[in-house]
PDB file of all heavy atoms in Angstrom:
ATOM      1  N   GLY A   1       0.807  -1.218   0.000  1.00  0.00           N
ATOM      2  CA  GLY A   1       0.000   0.000   0.000  1.00  0.00           C
ATOM      3  C   GLY A   1       0.837   1.263   0.000  1.00  0.00           C
ATOM      4  O   GLY A   1       0.346   2.347   0.318  1.00  0.00           O
ATOM      5  N   GLY A   2       2.138   1.123  -0.357  1.00  0.00           N
ATOM      6  CA  GLY A   2       3.009   2.295  -0.373  1.00  0.00           C
ATOM      7  C   GLY A   2       3.246   2.811   1.042  1.00  0.00           C
ATOM      8  O   GLY A   2       3.340   2.047   1.996  1.00  0.00           O
ATOM      9  N   PHE A   3       3.333   4.133   1.174  1.00  0.00           N
ATOM     10  CA  PHE A   3       3.549   4.744   2.484  1.00  0.00           C
ATOM     11  C   PHE A   3       2.238   5.023   3.210  1.00  0.00           C
ATOM     12  O   PHE A   3       2.248   5.525   4.334  1.00  0.00           O
ATOM     13  CB  PHE A   3       4.328   6.058   2.327  1.00  0.00           C
ATOM     14  CG  PHE A   3       5.792   5.863   2.080  1.00  0.00           C
ATOM     15  CD1 PHE A   3       6.295   5.855   0.792  1.00  0.00           C
ATOM     16  CD2 PHE A   3       6.672   5.691   3.137  1.00  0.00           C
ATOM     17  CE1 PHE A   3       7.653   5.673   0.556  1.00  0.00           C
ATOM     18  CE2 PHE A   3       8.029   5.507   2.921  1.00  0.00           C
ATOM     19  CZ  PHE A   3       8.518   5.496   1.621  1.00  0.00           C
ATOM     20  N   ALA A   4       1.099   4.698   2.579  1.00  0.00           N
ATOM     21  CA  ALA A   4      -0.197   5.046   3.157  1.00  0.00           C
ATOM     22  C   ALA A   4      -0.428   4.435   4.547  1.00  0.00           C
ATOM     23  O   ALA A   4      -0.865   5.142   5.459  1.00  0.00           O
ATOM     24  CB  ALA A   4      -1.325   4.664   2.202  1.00  0.00           C
ATOM     25  N   PRO A   5      -0.152   3.138   4.771  1.00  0.00           N
ATOM     26  CA  PRO A   5      -0.421   2.570   6.100  1.00  0.00           C
ATOM     27  C   PRO A   5       0.393   3.233   7.221  1.00  0.00           C
ATOM     28  O   PRO A   5      -0.164   3.584   8.261  1.00  0.00           O
ATOM     29  CB  PRO A   5      -0.043   1.096   5.929  1.00  0.00           C
ATOM     30  CG  PRO A   5      -0.211   0.831   4.469  1.00  0.00           C
ATOM     31  CD  PRO A   5       0.224   2.092   3.793  1.00  0.00           C
ATOM     32  N   VAL A   6       1.701   3.404   7.008  1.00  0.00           N
ATOM     33  CA  VAL A   6       2.507   4.046   8.047  1.00  0.00           C
ATOM     34  C   VAL A   6       2.146   5.523   8.162  1.00  0.00           C
ATOM     35  O   VAL A   6       2.162   6.094   9.262  1.00  0.00           O
ATOM     36  CB  VAL A   6       4.021   3.860   7.782  1.00  0.00           C
ATOM     37  CG1 VAL A   6       4.472   4.603   6.543  1.00  0.00           C
ATOM     38  CG2 VAL A   6       4.836   4.313   8.995  1.00  0.00           C
ATOM     39  N   GLY A   7       1.779   6.146   7.043  1.00  0.00           N
ATOM     40  CA  GLY A   7       1.346   7.543   7.077  1.00  0.00           C
ATOM     41  C   GLY A   7       0.099   7.724   7.915  1.00  0.00           C
ATOM     42  O   GLY A   7      -0.006   8.667   8.712  1.00  0.00           O
ATOM     43  N   ARG A   8      -0.837   6.799   7.767  1.00  0.00           N
ATOM     44  CA  ARG A   8      -2.069   6.871   8.572  1.00  0.00           C
ATOM     45  C   ARG A   8      -1.757   6.652  10.048  1.00  0.00           C
ATOM     46  O   ARG A   8      -2.305   7.342  10.917  1.00  0.00           O
ATOM     47  CB  ARG A   8      -3.084   5.833   8.080  1.00  0.00           C
ATOM     48  CG  ARG A   8      -4.362   5.771   8.916  1.00  0.00           C
ATOM     49  CD  ARG A   8      -5.424   4.924   8.247  1.00  0.00           C
ATOM     50  NE  ARG A   8      -5.974   5.637   7.101  1.00  0.00           N
ATOM     51  CZ  ARG A   8      -6.961   6.515   7.172  1.00  0.00           C
ATOM     52  NH1 ARG A   8      -7.503   6.816   8.339  1.00  0.00           N
ATOM     53  NH2 ARG A   8      -7.429   7.108   6.094  1.00  0.00           N
ATOM     54  N   PHE A   9      -0.885   5.696  10.353  1.00  0.00           N
ATOM     55  CA  PHE A   9      -0.490   5.446  11.741  1.00  0.00           C
ATOM     56  C   PHE A   9       0.099   6.711  12.365  1.00  0.00           C
ATOM     57  O   PHE A   9      -0.249   7.091  13.487  1.00  0.00           O
ATOM     58  CB  PHE A   9       0.526   4.299  11.792  1.00  0.00           C
ATOM     59  CG  PHE A   9       1.180   4.115  13.134  1.00  0.00           C
ATOM     60  CD1 PHE A   9       0.494   3.498  14.173  1.00  0.00           C
ATOM     61  CD2 PHE A   9       2.471   4.557  13.362  1.00  0.00           C
ATOM     62  CE1 PHE A   9       1.088   3.329  15.421  1.00  0.00           C
ATOM     63  CE2 PHE A   9       3.079   4.387  14.602  1.00  0.00           C
ATOM     64  CZ  PHE A   9       2.389   3.773  15.630  1.00  0.00           C
ATOM     65  N   LEU A  10       0.974   7.381  11.630  1.00  0.00           N
ATOM     66  CA  LEU A  10       1.599   8.594  12.144  1.00  0.00           C
ATOM     67  C   LEU A  10       0.590   9.740  12.254  1.00  0.00           C
ATOM     68  O   LEU A  10       0.633  10.526  13.201  1.00  0.00           O
ATOM     69  CB  LEU A  10       2.771   8.994  11.250  1.00  0.00           C
ATOM     70  CG  LEU A  10       3.978   8.054  11.288  1.00  0.00           C
ATOM     71  CD1 LEU A  10       4.956   8.380  10.167  1.00  0.00           C
ATOM     72  CD2 LEU A  10       4.678   8.110  12.639  1.00  0.00           C
ATOM     73  N   ALA A  11      -0.317   9.840  11.285  1.00  0.00           N
ATOM     74  CA  ALA A  11      -1.330  10.896  11.328  1.00  0.00           C
ATOM     75  C   ALA A  11      -2.257  10.725  12.524  1.00  0.00           C
ATOM     76  O   ALA A  11      -2.604  11.701  13.209  1.00  0.00           O
ATOM     77  CB  ALA A  11      -2.136  10.900  10.025  1.00  0.00           C
ATOM     78  N   VAL A  12      -2.660   9.490  12.782  1.00  0.00           N
ATOM     79  CA  VAL A  12      -3.529   9.222  13.934  1.00  0.00           C
ATOM     80  C   VAL A  12      -2.792   9.551  15.231  1.00  0.00           C
ATOM     81  O   VAL A  12      -3.363  10.150  16.159  1.00  0.00           O
ATOM     82  CB  VAL A  12      -3.998   7.749  13.932  1.00  0.00           C
ATOM     83  CG1 VAL A  12      -4.663   7.392  15.258  1.00  0.00           C
ATOM     84  CG2 VAL A  12      -4.963   7.496  12.780  1.00  0.00           C
ATOM     85  N   SER A  13      -1.504   9.182  15.301  1.00  0.00           N
ATOM     86  CA  SER A  13      -0.703   9.485  16.492  1.00  0.00           C
ATOM     87  C   SER A  13      -0.580  10.987  16.686  1.00  0.00           C
ATOM     88  O   SER A  13      -0.697  11.498  17.812  1.00  0.00           O
ATOM     89  CB  SER A  13       0.683   8.845  16.366  1.00  0.00           C
ATOM     90  OG  SER A  13       0.590   7.437  16.214  1.00  0.00           O
ATOM     91  N   MET A  14      -0.356  11.716  15.592  1.00  0.00           N
ATOM     92  CA  MET A  14      -0.249  13.172  15.667  1.00  0.00           C
ATOM     93  C   MET A  14      -1.560  13.787  16.145  1.00  0.00           C
ATOM     94  O   MET A  14      -1.556  14.698  16.985  1.00  0.00           O
ATOM     95  CB  MET A  14       0.128  13.741  14.297  1.00  0.00           C
ATOM     96  CG  MET A  14       0.330  15.241  14.291  1.00  0.00           C
ATOM     97  SD  MET A  14       0.768  15.872  12.647  1.00  0.00           S
ATOM     98  CE  MET A  14       2.407  15.164  12.437  1.00  0.00           C
ATOM     99  N   ALA A  15      -2.671  13.289  15.628  1.00  0.00           N
ATOM    100  CA  ALA A  15      -3.973  13.813  16.035  1.00  0.00           C
ATOM    101  C   ALA A  15      -4.206  13.606  17.530  1.00  0.00           C
ATOM    102  O   ALA A  15      -4.728  14.485  18.223  1.00  0.00           O
ATOM    103  CB  ALA A  15      -5.080  13.137  15.225  1.00  0.00           C
ATOM    104  N   LYS A  16      -3.799  12.451  18.038  1.00  0.00           N
ATOM    105  CA  LYS A  16      -3.951  12.177  19.466  1.00  0.00           C
ATOM    106  C   LYS A  16      -3.123  13.153  20.302  1.00  0.00           C
ATOM    107  O   LYS A  16      -3.586  13.660  21.336  1.00  0.00           O
ATOM    108  CB  LYS A  16      -3.544  10.739  19.774  1.00  0.00           C
ATOM    109  CG  LYS A  16      -4.511   9.687  19.225  1.00  0.00           C
ATOM    110  CD  LYS A  16      -4.002   8.280  19.525  1.00  0.00           C
ATOM    111  CE  LYS A  16      -4.975   7.230  18.988  1.00  0.00           C
ATOM    112  NZ  LYS A  16      -4.479   5.846  19.221  1.00  0.00           N
ATOM    113  N   ILE A  17      -1.909  13.424  19.851  1.00  0.00           N
ATOM    114  CA  ILE A  17      -1.046  14.354  20.578  1.00  0.00           C
ATOM    115  C   ILE A  17      -1.635  15.755  20.564  1.00  0.00           C
ATOM    116  O   ILE A  17      -1.689  16.445  21.586  1.00  0.00           O
ATOM    117  CB  ILE A  17       0.379  14.348  19.975  1.00  0.00           C
ATOM    118  CG1 ILE A  17       1.050  12.997  20.205  1.00  0.00           C
ATOM    119  CG2 ILE A  17       1.222  15.464  20.582  1.00  0.00           C
ATOM    120  CD1 ILE A  17       2.355  12.822  19.446  1.00  0.00           C
ATOM    121  N   LEU A  18      -2.102  16.196  19.408  1.00  0.00           N
ATOM    122  CA  LEU A  18      -2.681  17.532  19.296  1.00  0.00           C
ATOM    123  C   LEU A  18      -3.972  17.655  20.100  1.00  0.00           C
ATOM    124  O   LEU A  18      -4.388  18.761  20.466  1.00  0.00           O
ATOM    125  CB  LEU A  18      -2.923  17.881  17.827  1.00  0.00           C
ATOM    126  CG  LEU A  18      -1.654  18.067  16.984  1.00  0.00           C
ATOM    127  CD1 LEU A  18      -2.013  18.245  15.507  1.00  0.00           C
ATOM    128  CD2 LEU A  18      -0.836  19.255  17.471  1.00  0.00           C
ATOM    129  N   ASN A  19      -4.599  16.523  20.376  1.00  0.00           N
ATOM    130  CA  ASN A  19      -5.811  16.514  21.200  1.00  0.00           C
ATOM    131  C   ASN A  19      -5.491  16.372  22.685  1.00  0.00           C
ATOM    132  O   ASN A  19      -6.405  16.266  23.512  1.00  0.00           O
ATOM    133  CB  ASN A  19      -6.745  15.376  20.774  1.00  0.00           C
ATOM    134  CG  ASN A  19      -7.673  15.798  19.646  1.00  0.00           C
ATOM    135  OD1 ASN A  19      -8.133  16.939  19.619  1.00  0.00           O
ATOM    136  ND2 ASN A  19      -7.940  14.895  18.718  1.00  0.00           N
ATOM    137  N   GLY A  20      -4.195  16.357  23.030  1.00  0.00           N
ATOM    138  CA  GLY A  20      -3.820  16.377  24.437  1.00  0.00           C
ATOM    139  C   GLY A  20      -3.143  15.145  24.990  1.00  0.00           C
ATOM    140  O   GLY A  20      -2.732  15.132  26.157  1.00  0.00           O
ATOM    141  N   ALA A  21      -3.008  14.075  24.186  1.00  0.00           N
ATOM    142  CA  ALA A  21      -2.352  12.862  24.677  1.00  0.00           C
ATOM    143  C   ALA A  21      -0.855  13.101  24.854  1.00  0.00           C
ATOM    144  O   ALA A  21      -0.237  13.838  24.085  1.00  0.00           O
ATOM    145  CB  ALA A  21      -2.581  11.709  23.711  1.00  0.00           C
ATOM    146  N   LYS A  22      -0.265  12.487  25.859  1.00  0.00           N
ATOM    147  CA  LYS A  22       1.179  12.555  26.027  1.00  0.00           C
ATOM    148  C   LYS A  22       1.835  11.638  24.992  1.00  0.00           C
ATOM    149  O   LYS A  22       1.470  10.467  24.879  1.00  0.00           O
ATOM    150  CB  LYS A  22       1.587  12.113  27.425  1.00  0.00           C
ATOM    151  CG  LYS A  22       1.273  13.106  28.524  1.00  0.00           C
ATOM    152  CD  LYS A  22       1.813  12.602  29.858  1.00  0.00           C
ATOM    153  CE  LYS A  22       1.509  13.617  30.977  1.00  0.00           C
ATOM    154  NZ  LYS A  22       2.028  13.124  32.288  1.00  0.00           N
ATOM    155  N   PRO A  23       2.805  12.140  24.246  1.00  0.00           N
ATOM    156  CA  PRO A  23       3.474  11.300  23.249  1.00  0.00           C
ATOM    157  C   PRO A  23       3.987   9.981  23.830  1.00  0.00           C
ATOM    158  O   PRO A  23       3.909   8.939  23.174  1.00  0.00           O
ATOM    159  CB  PRO A  23       4.619  12.191  22.768  1.00  0.00           C
ATOM    160  CG  PRO A  23       4.094  13.579  22.941  1.00  0.00           C
ATOM    161  CD  PRO A  23       3.267  13.533  24.191  1.00  0.00           C
ATOM    162  N   ARG A  24       4.503  10.027  25.044  1.00  0.00           N
ATOM    163  CA  ARG A  24       5.078   8.826  25.661  1.00  0.00           C
ATOM    164  C   ARG A  24       4.042   7.734  25.895  1.00  0.00           C
ATOM    165  O   ARG A  24       4.384   6.540  25.944  1.00  0.00           O
ATOM    166  CB  ARG A  24       5.734   9.215  26.992  1.00  0.00           C
ATOM    167  CG  ARG A  24       6.492   8.088  27.678  1.00  0.00           C
ATOM    168  CD  ARG A  24       7.150   8.582  28.952  1.00  0.00           C
ATOM    169  NE  ARG A  24       7.988   7.571  29.576  1.00  0.00           N
ATOM    170  CZ  ARG A  24       8.738   7.784  30.649  1.00  0.00           C
ATOM    171  NH1 ARG A  24       8.748   8.983  31.212  1.00  0.00           N
ATOM    172  NH2 ARG A  24       9.476   6.814  31.154  1.00  0.00           N
ATOM    173  N   GLU A  25       2.782   8.122  26.017  1.00  0.00           N
ATOM    174  CA  GLU A  25       1.729   7.156  26.324  1.00  0.00           C
ATOM    175  C   GLU A  25       1.246   6.396  25.091  1.00  0.00           C
ATOM    176  O   GLU A  25       0.524   5.409  25.210  1.00  0.00           O
ATOM    177  CB  GLU A  25       0.546   7.871  26.981  1.00  0.00           C
ATOM    178  CG  GLU A  25       0.883   8.478  28.340  1.00  0.00           C
ATOM    179  CD  GLU A  25      -0.268   9.290  28.913  1.00  0.00           C
ATOM    180  OE1 GLU A  25      -1.214   9.596  28.147  1.00  0.00           O
ATOM    181  OE2 GLU A  25      -0.223   9.616  30.113  1.00  0.00           O
ATOM    182  N   LEU A  26       1.655   6.850  23.890  1.00  0.00           N
ATOM    183  CA  LEU A  26       1.161   6.239  22.662  1.00  0.00           C
ATOM    184  C   LEU A  26       1.986   5.018  22.257  1.00  0.00           C
ATOM    185  O   LEU A  26       3.163   4.916  22.562  1.00  0.00           O
ATOM    186  CB  LEU A  26       1.187   7.263  21.526  1.00  0.00           C
ATOM    187  CG  LEU A  26       0.378   8.540  21.739  1.00  0.00           C
ATOM    188  CD1 LEU A  26       0.485   9.430  20.514  1.00  0.00           C
ATOM    189  CD2 LEU A  26      -1.084   8.224  22.051  1.00  0.00           C
ATOM    190  N   ASN A  27       1.327   4.112  21.549  1.00  0.00           N
ATOM    191  CA  ASN A  27       2.016   2.956  20.981  1.00  0.00           C
ATOM    192  C   ASN A  27       2.949   3.425  19.868  1.00  0.00           C
ATOM    193  O   ASN A  27       2.522   4.090  18.923  1.00  0.00           O
ATOM    194  CB  ASN A  27       0.996   1.954  20.430  1.00  0.00           C
ATOM    195  CG  ASN A  27       1.656   0.852  19.627  1.00  0.00           C
ATOM    196  OD1 ASN A  27       2.736   0.368  19.985  1.00  0.00           O
ATOM    197  ND2 ASN A  27       1.028   0.459  18.534  1.00  0.00           N
ATOM    198  N   GLN A  28       4.226   3.063  19.964  1.00  0.00           N
ATOM    199  CA  GLN A  28       5.206   3.486  18.960  1.00  0.00           C
ATOM    200  C   GLN A  28       5.429   2.445  17.866  1.00  0.00           C
ATOM    201  O   GLN A  28       6.021   2.739  16.835  1.00  0.00           O
ATOM    202  CB  GLN A  28       6.568   3.753  19.624  1.00  0.00           C
ATOM    203  CG  GLN A  28       6.542   4.812  20.702  1.00  0.00           C
ATOM    204  CD  GLN A  28       7.932   5.056  21.279  1.00  0.00           C
ATOM    205  OE1 GLN A  28       8.434   6.170  21.226  1.00  0.00           O
ATOM    206  NE2 GLN A  28       8.551   4.028  21.838  1.00  0.00           N
ATOM    207  N   ILE A  29       4.964   1.223  18.098  1.00  0.00           N
ATOM    208  CA  ILE A  29       5.305   0.121  17.198  1.00  0.00           C
ATOM    209  C   ILE A  29       4.324   0.026  16.041  1.00  0.00           C
ATOM    210  O   ILE A  29       3.108  -0.060  16.226  1.00  0.00           O
ATOM    211  CB  ILE A  29       5.332  -1.218  17.958  1.00  0.00           C
ATOM    212  CG1 ILE A  29       6.416  -1.172  19.046  1.00  0.00           C
ATOM    213  CG2 ILE A  29       5.586  -2.381  17.007  1.00  0.00           C
ATOM    214  CD1 ILE A  29       6.441  -2.392  19.942  1.00  0.00           C
ATOM    215  N   PHE A  30       4.870   0.063  14.834  1.00  0.00           N
ATOM    216  CA  PHE A  30       4.067  -0.182  13.636  1.00  0.00           C
ATOM    217  C   PHE A  30       4.919  -1.020  12.689  1.00  0.00           C
ATOM    218  O   PHE A  30       5.888  -0.529  12.113  1.00  0.00           O
ATOM    219  CB  PHE A  30       3.649   1.122  12.951  1.00  0.00           C
ATOM    220  CG  PHE A  30       2.771   0.906  11.743  1.00  0.00           C
ATOM    221  CD1 PHE A  30       1.403   0.769  11.887  1.00  0.00           C
ATOM    222  CD2 PHE A  30       3.319   0.818  10.473  1.00  0.00           C
ATOM    223  CE1 PHE A  30       0.591   0.555  10.786  1.00  0.00           C
ATOM    224  CE2 PHE A  30       2.515   0.612   9.359  1.00  0.00           C
ATOM    225  CZ  PHE A  30       1.145   0.475   9.515  1.00  0.00           C
ATOM    226  N   GLU A  31       4.584  -2.289  12.558  1.00  0.00           N
ATOM    227  CA  GLU A  31       5.350  -3.193  11.710  1.00  0.00           C
ATOM    228  C   GLU A  31       4.720  -3.275  10.326  1.00  0.00           C
ATOM    229  O   GLU A  31       3.503  -3.446  10.202  1.00  0.00           O
ATOM    230  CB  GLU A  31       5.411  -4.585  12.333  1.00  0.00           C
ATOM    231  CG  GLU A  31       6.171  -4.632  13.653  1.00  0.00           C
ATOM    232  CD  GLU A  31       6.326  -6.039  14.184  1.00  0.00           C
ATOM    233  OE1 GLU A  31       5.324  -6.766  14.194  1.00  0.00           O
ATOM    234  OE2 GLU A  31       7.452  -6.395  14.578  1.00  0.00           O
ATOM    235  N   GLU A  32       5.564  -3.161   9.318  1.00  0.00           N
ATOM    236  CA  GLU A  32       5.086  -3.259   7.946  1.00  0.00           C
ATOM    237  C   GLU A  32       5.076  -4.711   7.492  1.00  0.00           C
ATOM    238  O   GLU A  32       5.928  -5.504   7.889  1.00  0.00           O
ATOM    239  CB  GLU A  32       5.975  -2.427   7.019  1.00  0.00           C
ATOM    240  CG  GLU A  32       5.920  -0.947   7.348  1.00  0.00           C
ATOM    241  CD  GLU A  32       6.773  -0.116   6.413  1.00  0.00           C
ATOM    242  OE1 GLU A  32       6.332   0.125   5.279  1.00  0.00           O
ATOM    243  OE2 GLU A  32       7.874   0.284   6.813  1.00  0.00           O
ATOM    244  N   ALA A  33       4.115  -5.045   6.656  1.00  0.00           N
ATOM    245  CA  ALA A  33       4.003  -6.420   6.157  1.00  0.00           C
ATOM    246  C   ALA A  33       5.226  -6.779   5.315  1.00  0.00           C
ATOM    247  O   ALA A  33       5.687  -5.963   4.514  1.00  0.00           O
ATOM    248  CB  ALA A  33       2.729  -6.564   5.323  1.00  0.00           C
ATOM    249  N   PRO A  34       5.763  -8.009   5.478  1.00  0.00           N
ATOM    250  CA  PRO A  34       6.965  -8.408   4.749  1.00  0.00           C
ATOM    251  C   PRO A  34       6.677  -8.845   3.318  1.00  0.00           C
ATOM    252  O   PRO A  34       6.675 -10.029   2.992  1.00  0.00           O
ATOM    253  CB  PRO A  34       7.491  -9.579   5.586  1.00  0.00           C
ATOM    254  CG  PRO A  34       6.267 -10.190   6.176  1.00  0.00           C
ATOM    255  CD  PRO A  34       5.310  -9.051   6.412  1.00  0.00           C
TER     256      PRO A  34
END
């Protein structure tokens, strides 16, 4: 799917942070399909 899956993961994480979530509290792991 190109960069779309990881891009969406990062966008969702960014939205959570901008809505007040602490960056440290978020899941950092996103594994791409082999």
Side-chain angles (χ1 to χ4, degrees):
F3 283 95
V6 67
R8 176 170 287 275
F9 170 77
L10 291 168
V12 169
S13 301
M14 183 180 292
K16 290 178 179 178
I17 293 170
L18 292 173
N19 273 323
K22 287 184 179 180
R24 186 178 185 175
E25 295 175 346
L26 302 181
N27 170 39
Q28 301 182 121
I29 298 175
F30 182 86
E31 295 185 313
E32 297 181 77

